[in-house]
Structure formats: C-alpha cells, structure tokens
Amino acid sequence: MTEEEGAEQSPDANSDKKAFGKDVGKLVSGTVVAQVVGLLIYPILTRIFDPEIYGIASIFLSIVSVIVVISCLRYEVAILLPKDDKDASSLFFASFIILIAICVVCIPIVLILGKPIIDILNAPDLINYLWILPLFVFVDGAYMILRFWNTRRIRFGMQAISQASQSVTGSGLKVGLGLLGNISPAALIYGQLFGNITGIALLLYQLIKKDVSTLYNGLSIKNIRGQISRYKKFPLIDTWANLFNVISWQVPIFMLSAFFSPVVSGLYAMGFAIIQMPMSLIGGSLGQVYYQRGSIAFKNNKLAPLLEDMVQLLLMLSIIPIVLLLILGEGLFGFVFGNQWAEAGVYCQILAVWAFIWFLSSTTGSNTLNIIEKQEYLLKFSIFNLISRVLALSIGGYYQNIYLALWLFTLFGIIAYGYVLYVIFVHTNASYRKILIESKYQIIFAIVVALIFIGLQSFFKVNIIILLILATIVIIGYYLHLYRYNPKIRAYLPF
C-alpha cells in the first residue's frame, strides 16, 4: 500500500486513531517479543559476562552507531516523503549507493586510525574486532533503508517479525557462545551482528516478493540525481544534526572508558540499556507510526492534535515506571542482575528524570521537525546536546567523580530535550497546558506512589524483594486502570 492509499484511508490523523493503534500494534507485537527476550536474557548475560567485557562490546557497538547514522546521509528517512513511489524508489537506490561508498571508505580509516582511537578509549582489546566494522556498518545501514521502505509501504507486520527475529537470534547466540566458553566481547559482538542479519533477510525477502517492479521504476540515474537534489536538506542539515545527536548518545561510553575504565563504561551501558528498553517498547513503535501518520496530518493542517495526543500518551505510560526506577534502581539491579551490577542501578536513579523528558521528546521531536522541515532546530539541539555532555563528563572525569558527571549529564539533558519539546509545540501550535490538565490525575498518583515507596524504603527499611513485588503490583494495577478508564489510551493502543 502506498502513502496515497494510506492517506485515502486516514485523511484526518486525529479521527483515525484506531487505524493508528492497529499500525502501532503490529510494530509493538515485534517489539514486545524483542524486549521480553532481552529482559529475560539480561540476567543470564550479566552472570556470564562481567562489566568490563560488556563495556568493551558496548564501545565497539557505539563506534558502529556513530558511523551508521551518516552511512546513507539520511536519505533513507526521506523515502517516506515523496508522493510518487518512483521518486521514493530512487531515494532507496541513492541510499544504498551512498551506504556502499561509506563502507568502502571505512576500510582505510580503520587501518590507519584504529590503533590511535583504541589508545584514546583505553580499550586495547578492541583491536581484535575492528576488522569487522565495515560489514557491521553495512548490515545496520541496509536494515535502516529496508525499514523505512517498509514503513512507506505500511507493512508494519513484517517489521514486527524482523524485530522479534533479530532479538531472539542475537540473544540466543550471545548466551550460547558464552555458555560454550567464549566469555569475551566477541560473543556479544558477533551475536549482535548475526541477529541483525536475520532482520535484514526477512525484510529483503518481503521486498523481493512484492516490490521489485515498483523499485525498478525508480532505477534511473537522472531521477536518482533529481531526488538527491530535491532532498538535499537531509545530508546538509539532518545528517549533521543526527551525527551530533548520535555522538552525544555514545560519548558517555567513550569518555567514561577514557576517564575511568571499560568497567564503568559497561555499567553505564547496562543501566542505559535497561532504561531504554521499556521506553522503546512503545515509544519506538509509536514514533515510527507517528512519522507516517504525521506526514499526512501535516498536509491537512491536523498535526497539532496528533502531537498533543502523542505527548500525553507517552507521559501517562512512562511516569509510574520512571518514579519507581528513581527510588528502587540500586536494589532492582542488584537483585535481578547480580551484586556486581548494583552500581548500574545507581546510575539509572541519577538519570531517571532526564530519561522521562527524553522519552517525551525523542518519540515526537525529531519526527515532527522532519515533517515540518525545520531540521535546523535539530542541528542546534544536537550541537548543544553534544557540547553539554562532553562538558559534563569532562568535569566529572577531571574530578574523578562519576556521580558528578552523571548529575551534570542529567541537568543538561533536561534543558536540551525540554528545548526540543518547546520548539515543536510552538511551530505546530500545540498546547502543553492541555496535556498537563488532562494528565493531572496520573501526575498526582505518581507523586503519591513516590512518597509511599520512599517511606517504605528509607524509614521502614522494607526488604527489596517485597518492594519490587509491590512495585510490580502498582505498575500492573496502574496500567489496567489507565486502559479501562482512559479513552485516549484505548483509542491509540491496540490492546
């Protein structure tokens, strides 16, 4: 199904909530499997691999992430935007041509600069894995292109299957290699790679089966050049904005290893992964469908109501888990992942408030600015975000105080992501007051829950197992109540 066909079925993004929910449901189904597998696997991985091994693998994957974001010069994102499938197909081929070129360029860079970079990162064991970097970049870049093509064709079901397949295959290989005695970063790195290849294979099969003729129509050098020129804002502005953004995400992994050790880097990486996992369970899928539906809504001047609904939905879904993580983080990590990972829970407690603001902003922020073609704000945000994070971590590193580094990281992050929310609300004429008023009961409940658990933990010294059981009951009860009595939740979510 093309974008035009989707527009005919849902010309009004505000009135097409059920269709939105179905699309989210298809993506969420795969994400649920992926996240559940991840959650089940993490307690096993953390008892096989120590923080240092996890840290070295995280540094490698962070380097890959930085390169991947520029591997197609962001033309893969533009695949969703043309009205004509021929133009979208040309962008598809343009993205692959650029990806191959970037991967080829990576080879001499790895050979020449690999050793100096490893020395700076204080991670000598990385030298054994740099040879596979260009292949890793190609696999991840190809998956991005195929994912956006499938989003354009409104095939969210296949994406769900590919997500689940990636997680199951990758996680299974990591555990299997570890149990067979390969207790090294190689098990984590190669497991991730082969899991990603599985996801590509499924999306590529769908493309070959249904889209060969459609793509062939766009295989024209003249049209490819025309589309590259038409969407030149993406490489000129959006690429740099996203490069700075991804570097700002990965810079803690790099700098914590350089200033402290791969062990600290591994603890941070694990803590951040656990924060990100439940957030992306819904947020990532909502964001992907929001981008597709929001592109249609913007053409009909209906973007503001959709944006308000999304931010409110994200707030209601995340506020209680974030409050409980803020209070119980250290005990949660020590109990679930083992005592050597309890420190990662402390990091999560420090980062919790920032994570909440980030969740509200990340799902809607860049998507909205891309839809309304205001990518210049993304560039400003990304530059500030990167500079502020480097400053925060440098100050903490100078004083050899990891907690100071993370507290400054949190403060600057709240400012940066709060700015993005402000900008998208101004440019779409959305109302944050409406969101706060309609979410007042959830906010009040979150405050009450926080006070109760602080009292139980600090004054009554309740055992962590009992606290975690109570927290689980609170979360389940909250979501059941939310679904039963909040019509917006029922309208947008497919469950």
Side-chain angles (χ1 to χ4, degrees):
M1 182 183 292
T2 64
E3 181 184 32
E4 293 88 341
E5 291 170 329
E8 289 174 9
Q9 291 181 9
S10 31
D12 188 320
N14 190 44
S15 64
D16 198 27
K17 297 177 182 179
K18 282 298 182 184
F20 188 108
K22 289 179 182 178
D23 289 341
V24 172
K26 292 174 185 176
L27 284 174
V28 166
S29 61
T31 308
V32 165
V33 174
Q35 302 297 353
V36 168
V37 169
L39 285 171
L40 293 175
I41 289 296
Y42 268 122
I44 302 174
L45 290 177
T46 54
R47 285 166 172 82
I48 298 174
F49 304 101
D50 61 32
E52 183 174 11
I53 291 174
Y54 193 84
I56 293 168
S58 297
I59 294 168
F60 175 85
L61 295 175
S62 294
I63 295 172
V64 172
S65 297
V66 171
I67 301 172
V68 166
V69 77
I70 62 169
S71 62
C72 304
L73 298 182
R74 299 297 287 171
Y75 278 111
E76 80 281 3
V77 179
I79 288 173
L80 283 175
L81 301 180
K83 292 183 178 180
D84 193 333
D85 277 344
K86 178 181 177 182
D87 294 337
S89 300
S90 295
L91 287 168
F92 176 90
F93 288 114
S95 299
F96 263 108
I97 291 169
I98 295 167
L99 172 62
I100 293 169
I102 294 291
C103 291
V104 170
V105 170
C106 281
I107 296 172
I109 292 176
V110 166
L111 293 175
I112 297 170
L113 299 178
K115 183 63 166 59
I117 292 173
I118 286 171
D119 291 339
I120 293 172
L121 295 176
N122 191 27
D125 289 345
L126 271 180
I127 195 68
N128 300 318
Y129 312 108
L130 286 183
W131 67 272
I132 204 171
L133 187 70
L135 175 60
F136 223 119
V137 170
F138 178 79
V139 169
D140 283 8
Y143 184 77
M144 284 195 313
I145 298 169
L146 292 169
R147 182 169 62 87
F148 276 101
W149 176 260
N150 273 270
T151 299
R152 176 182 177 84
R153 306 295 286 177
I154 317 181
R155 294 190 190 123
F156 299 112
M158 179 53 70
Q159 289 194 57
I161 294 171
S162 72
Q163 285 178 323
S165 175
Q166 280 183 318
S167 180
V168 172
T169 304
S171 298
L173 282 171
K174 291 173 188 177
V175 172
L177 290 171
L179 293 175
L180 289 173
N182 189 353
I183 305 176
S184 70
L188 299 175
I189 291 170
Y190 297 149
Q192 185 72 36
L193 175 62
F194 285 106
N196 293 354
I197 289 174
T198 302
I200 284 185
L202 291 171
L203 294 182
L204 190 60
Y205 169 77
Q206 183 86 342
L207 180 145
I208 293 172
K209 184 178 179 182
K210 296 187 176 182
D211 295 331
V212 171
S213 60
T214 301
L215 286 170
Y216 183 77
N217 292 332
L219 187 56
S220 159
I221 297 299
K222 180 180 179 181
N223 206 49
I224 290 173
R225 286 177 176 173
Q227 294 307 306
I228 288 175
S229 176
R230 164 67 181 86
Y231 293 100
K232 62 184 177 181
K233 266 194 173 185
F234 284 87
L236 294 177
I237 298 176
D238 198 44
T239 293
W240 293 104
N242 279 274
L243 176 61
F244 287 133
N245 185 43
V246 170
I247 291 176
S248 70
W249 280 113
Q250 307 306 332
V251 78
I253 303 288
F254 301 143
M255 294 186 69
L256 291 176
S257 179
F259 278 121
F260 299 96
S261 71
V263 174
V264 173
S265 187
L267 289 168
Y268 170 85
M270 174 60 70
F272 179 73
I274 299 303
I275 286 179
Q276 188 182 41
M277 189 174 293
M279 296 290 194
S280 62
L281 177 64
I282 297 295
S285 299
L286 275 174
Q288 198 168 334
V289 180
Y290 169 77
Y291 187 36
Q292 191 269 333
R293 300 281 174 172
S295 300
I296 299 170
F298 178 63
K299 295 169 186 174
N300 296 306
N301 296 315
K302 302 286 187 178
L303 184 57
L306 182 62
L307 174 60
E308 291 167 354
D309 285 352
M310 284 302 96
V311 174
Q312 184 184 351
L313 193 65
L314 295 166
L315 184 152
M316 291 188 295
L317 291 172
S318 62
I319 192 167
I320 296 301
I322 284 291
V323 164
L324 291 171
L325 179 66
L326 178 65
I327 299 166
L328 304 176
E330 182 178 9
L332 169 67
F333 274 69
F335 176 75
V336 175
F337 304 113
N339 291 332
Q340 65 178 340
W341 294 94
E343 182 71 2
V346 177
Y347 297 175
C348 285
Q349 289 176 290
I350 297 172
L351 298 171
V353 177
W354 158 80
F356 177 67
I357 304 299
W358 158 68
F359 182 56
L360 300 184
S361 174
S362 63
T363 304
T364 56
S366 61
N367 286 327
T368 302
L369 292 173
N370 278 326
I371 289 169
I372 64 177
E373 296 193 50
K374 294 289 183 181
Q375 291 96 336
E376 57 270 22
Y377 287 103
L378 280 176
L379 181 59
K380 294 175 185 177
F381 156 77
S382 298
I383 292 172
F384 172 80
N385 204 28
L386 175 58
I387 292 173
S388 65
R389 288 182 177 183
V390 170
L391 179 62
L393 296 167
S394 297
I395 293 172
Y398 177 79
Y399 289 103
Q400 284 295 289
N401 189 326
I402 179 63
Y403 299 135
L404 174 62
L406 294 179
W407 278 116
L408 291 173
F409 181 98
T410 293
L411 175 63
F412 289 135
I414 292 171
I415 294 171
Y417 284 95
Y419 167 76
V420 172
L421 285 172
Y422 170 77
V423 167
I424 62 174
F425 272 65
V426 168
H427 282 278
T428 60
N429 294 316
S431 171
Y432 67 88
R433 292 185 181 88
K434 176 184 174 184
I435 294 170
L436 291 175
I437 291 171
E438 293 185 0
S439 307
K440 60 181 180 293
Y441 294 116
Q442 288 78 29
I443 295 172
I444 293 171
F445 180 67
I447 294 171
V448 172
V449 167
L451 293 174
I452 291 173
F453 274 86
I454 289 172
L456 291 174
Q457 180 174 254
S458 302
F459 297 104
F460 295 99
K461 309 297 181 183
V462 175
N463 183 275
I464 185 61
I465 297 177
I466 296 175
L467 289 174
L468 293 177
I469 292 172
L470 291 174
T472 303
I473 293 171
V474 168
I475 290 174
I476 293 173
Y478 171 75
Y479 284 140
L480 289 175
H481 183 274
L482 202 62
Y483 184 79
R484 181 174 180 180
Y485 294 104
N486 192 292
K488 193 164 292 185
I489 293 288
R490 294 196 302 274
Y492 276 106
L493 296 183
F495 313 113

